[in-house]
Amino acid sequence: TSKKKQSIWKRILNVLFYVLLGILFVLACISMTFRLTKGKIGNSQYLVVISGSMDGERQDYEIESVPIKSFIKVDLIEEGKEEEFYSFLKKGDVLTFNYLPLNNTTITHRIVEEPELIDGVYRYTLKGDAVEGDDTQTLYSDGRTGEILGKVSFVSVPLGYFYFFVSSKVGTLVLIILPCSAICIFEIVKIIYMVSEGKRKKKEEKQQ
C-alpha cells in the first residue's frame, strides 16, 4: 500500500512538473513572439502604455481609463476598410496613433470632441485623461498630422506588469534558465532515487 501511495505521488509530481515546464515554455514563446512582431498578431497590436497621460479619473465610456503600465489591445485599421473605421469613431473612443508634431511619437489618447467631417476629411480632437489645460492633439483621416494606428478595445493593468517582466532581459533569462535548471534538478533527483532504490534492493536480496 505504501509503495502504491509513493507511486501515485510520484506520478502526480511528474505531471505537475511537466505542466509547469509547459507553462514556462509557452510564456517564453509568447515573450519571443512579442519581441519579434512588436506585439502585432493578426489585425491587432498589443502594447504597454508607459506614460501616465491617460491615468486620470475613470470616464463613463467603453474604455474607462488607461493607467500607467497598462497592457492594451489595439484593433488596427483593416486595409480597404479605412473609411468605415473613420466614420464609426466617436467621442470617448481611445486611439493609438503616431503624432508628427511630436516627432512621430506613438500616443494613446481619448477623443474628447465629436468628430467633424470637413470636405470629406474627418477631424478628431484628442487629449489624455490626466492632462490638464488645452494640451490636445488634432488628427485627420488623411494623415496630415499623424497616422492613426487603431482603436483601443481592451485594457489590463496586471497583464501590463506581467508583460513588462517577461519582455525584460531579466524576465527572458528567468523563463529560459528556470526551466533548464528545473530539468537538471529533476534528472539529478531521479538518478539519486534510482541509485538509492538499487542499493535498497541489493540489501533486501542479501538479507534473503
Side-chain angles (χ1 to χ4, degrees), residues 144-197:
R144 69 183 75 169
T145 58
E147 178 190 7
I148 298 174
L149 301 178
K151 177 185 170 183
V152 176
S153 61
F154 174 79
V155 178
S156 172
V157 176
L159 282 177
Y161 280 96
F162 178 74
Y163 176 77
F164 257 102
F165 173 72
V166 298
S167 62
S168 67
K169 290 181 180 179
V170 175
T172 303
L173 285 173
V174 167
L175 289 175
I176 294 171
I177 292 171
L178 196 59
C180 292
S181 301
I183 291 170
C184 291
I185 293 168
F186 186 72
E187 291 301 321
I188 290 168
V189 170
K190 276 177 69 177
I191 291 167
I192 293 170
Y193 177 78
M194 288 170 68
V195 170
S196 63
E197 279 290 298

Side-chain angles (χ1 to χ4, degrees), residues 26-57:
V26 169
L27 291 176
C29 290
I30 291 171
S31 175
M32 292 303 295
T33 301
F34 271 85
R35 282 175 175 272
L36 293 171
T37 64
K38 295 182 179 179
K40 288 184 179 180
I41 300 176
N43 196 49
S44 301
Q45 185 168 10
Y46 299 88
L47 302 168
V48 174
V49 177
I50 58 174
S51 164
S53 63
M54 281 292 289
D55 197 355
E57 293 183 7

Side-chain angles (χ1 to χ4, degrees), residues 21-104:
L21 205 63
I23 291 170
L24 290 171
F25 177 75
V26 169
L27 291 176
C29 290
I30 291 171
S31 175
M32 292 303 295
T33 301
F34 271 85
R35 282 175 175 272
L36 293 171
T37 64
K38 295 182 179 179
K40 288 184 179 180
I41 300 176
N43 196 49
S44 301
Q45 185 168 10
Y46 299 88
L47 302 168
V48 174
V49 177
I50 58 174
S51 164
S53 63
M54 281 292 289
D55 197 355
E57 293 183 7
R58 289 182 173 273
Q59 306 292 313
D60 191 22
Y61 296 111
E62 181 184 356
I63 301 298
E64 296 179 339
S65 67
V66 186
I68 190 169
K69 291 189 177 180
S70 290
F71 181 86
I72 64 172
K73 177 191 176 189
V74 182
D75 295 332
L76 303 175
I77 302 174
E78 293 184 47
E79 189 176 348
K81 295 185 178 180
E82 293 87 352
E83 194 64 30
E84 181 182 346
F85 175 86
Y86 294 131
S87 65
F88 275 99
L89 292 177
K90 61 188 181 300
K91 181 181 178 181
D93 288 343
V94 177
L95 305 182
T96 295
F97 55 96
N98 295 327
Y99 198 50
L100 288 174
L102 293 178
N103 299 317
N104 214 32

